[in-house]
Amino acid sequence: MEVRRIVLGPGERYELRLTGRGARGYVWTWQVTGDADVVSVAPGPVLAGGAAPGAAVELSYVVGARPPGGGRARIRFAQVRPPYPDEAPYDEFVLDVEVTPGSGGAG
């Protein structure tokens, strides 16, 4: 499991790329802990994929820092097969996000 740390200012965004295995029934899910209200997570566009059936596809997820900022959140991505909730994740990725406080003087 990879762990990555990033720092964002209020309103900044970060694009995370993960390998998808949808043809095999796996989807990426995420859970936010810590100061969950300082970040947002949304699926981005599919970036690239193999032409062969069942080939891996590169997916993107956009993490945004919400104003006014000031906090730390941990986002745990897990690649799971929804029909099998008791099965261990195929892959996991953790993103530690620090959101710095806003300047308070937007112009």
Side-chain angles (χ1 to χ4, degrees):
M1 170 175 46
E2 183 180 346
V3 177
R4 186 176 302 165
R5 290 172 176 75
I6 61 169
V7 177
L8 297 174
E12 288 186 322
R13 297 168 47 163
Y14 176 80
E15 182 180 18
L16 175 66
R17 295 177 179 202
L18 298 171
T19 301
R21 291 176 179 82
R24 296 182 186 164
Y26 288 94
V27 297
W28 283 101
T29 61
W30 60 86
Q31 180 180 16
V32 182
T33 57
D35 299 321
D37 59 333
V38 301
V39 296
S40 63
V41 182
V46 174
L47 300 171
V57 175
E58 189 172 35
L59 304 172
S60 69
Y61 294 87
V62 178
V63 176
R66 293 184 177 151
R72 294 175 185 267
R74 172 170 271 204
I75 307 168
R76 178 185 170 265
F77 290 86
Q79 197 171 42
V80 298
R81 293 193 300 176
Y84 306 100
D86 296 330
E87 187 176 87
Y90 180 84
D91 197 4
E92 293 179 281
F93 184 92
V94 173
L95 188 63
D96 285 331
V97 184
E98 178 183 350
V99 179
T100 59
S103 63

